[in-house]
Amino acid sequence: MTPARSGASRALLLTAVVLVGLNLRPFLTSIGPLAVEIRAATGLGFGSLSLFTLVPMLLMGVCAFAGPWLQRVLGARTAVVGALCILCAAAALRLVTTSGEALIVTAAFCGLGVAVVQSIFPGIVKATFPGRVAVVMGLYSAMLMGGGALGAQLSPLIADRSGSWHLGLGWIALPAAMAALVSAVALPSGRSGQSGGLPTFALLRRPRSWLLMICFGLVNGGYASIVAWLAPSYQAMGWSGAESGGLLAVTAASQAVAALGIPALAARNPDRRFWIWLALACQIIGFSGLAWWPLAAPTGWAVAIGIGLGASFALFLIVALDHIDNPANAGALSALMQGGGFLISAIPPWIVTLLRDAGGSFTAGWLMHLACAVLAGLMALRFAPRGYARAMRLAPAADQALSPR
């Protein structure tokens, strides 16, 4: 995979970054605002609704491990375009699917497509924009979160105007098709594995890889629970689907702004820990508000959580790429972090469901995520740039392949 050689090709690739990022979250955020309609039409309970987040997150974790292999075998462009086509087809099926079980299957296929894209895209960015990784990854993360905002806001609006919750879920197929078309033209061809790529088992030998996976999982567990339960939690307090969807959209929009702005600020210093701690502090404030004073300042809590989640997501992607200079190996580490992280993050929404059923409210679940943010902050103490080389050192042959800072 070679860097783009002209300004035009870089601009086209940035367009692909924007469009691809926008398509990776609406399939998740469209569910919560339409939960009442979906439950009424399919008979699904709260436990089953959690599967719309749990199943895709599990697949986003498991299938992310295959990303580097697919990139070596098919090439980055073919793998990403194929994955976007799967996302498009799964979203289109929601236009005609009537049973709850079938809807969960479409969520699984959406998660499959997104997993492949997420595991490959960071490596593409590092190879194509080697001097602007933090900024471009911030753009990618911002678009990803912005897509979540679009899903939360547009889905209930489309469902209300059309009178069909099917359309509220299935409209996502159109932008996914656009992203696949642009990616087919813009993304670099070839198989990055030709220039080397470190096997997953070699990365798993390093404790730092596990630390990155756990931190990423703790942060994205909060995102998964917010996507699954923020709107239903306020609907339980009397809010309408449009109102609760708007609150979720505020969260996602705040994520987008933070994912774009904070990495740009963090790019001035290779030590990203201050910004990670700032992001986690915002999460702590937001989850505290949801737990104890949900109606006191719901928009404020949504903004705080959105800033914290969006910045954390982007910063941990950047930190993973920071550890290794070689783009293919850095992409492999990023894919590993996302794979293990998403497996971890699939569990919290289900735990929140159990806690809600046991206690009758979402308070305990929000407090659990407050504790997760504190734990992630303590773990982030280890991410000092001067320790990257030591943290990623393997056997001599692997050391040469890793080319760490």
Side-chain angles (χ1 to χ4, degrees), residues 343-378:
L343 286 176
I344 295 170
S345 65
I347 300 172
W350 177 69
I351 295 177
V352 171
T353 304
L354 296 179
L355 293 173
R356 181 208 168 272
D357 290 343
S361 77
F362 290 92
T363 299
W366 303 141
L367 290 177
M368 176 189 70
H369 285 298
L370 186 158
C372 288
V374 172
L375 181 58
L378 294 174

Side-chain angles (χ1 to χ4, degrees), residues 171-200:
W171 67 270
I172 300 166
L174 180 59
M178 294 175 58
L181 179 62
V182 173
S183 296
V185 177
L187 296 188
S189 60
R191 296 170 175 81
S192 65
Q194 293 172 351
S195 61
L198 199 68
T200 297

Side-chain angles (χ1 to χ4, degrees), residues 216-230:
F216 193 77
L218 290 174
V219 168
N220 280 280
Y223 175 77
S225 289
I226 286 294
V227 166
W229 297 122
L230 180 64

Side-chain angles (χ1 to χ4, degrees), residues 19 35 100 117 152 173 184-185 209 219 263 283-284 349 351 353-354 356 383 394:
L19 289 176
V117 175
V185 177
S209 300
V219 168
Q283 290 188 42
I284 290 170
I351 295 177
T353 304
L354 296 179
R356 181 208 168 272
F383 297 139
L394 301 171

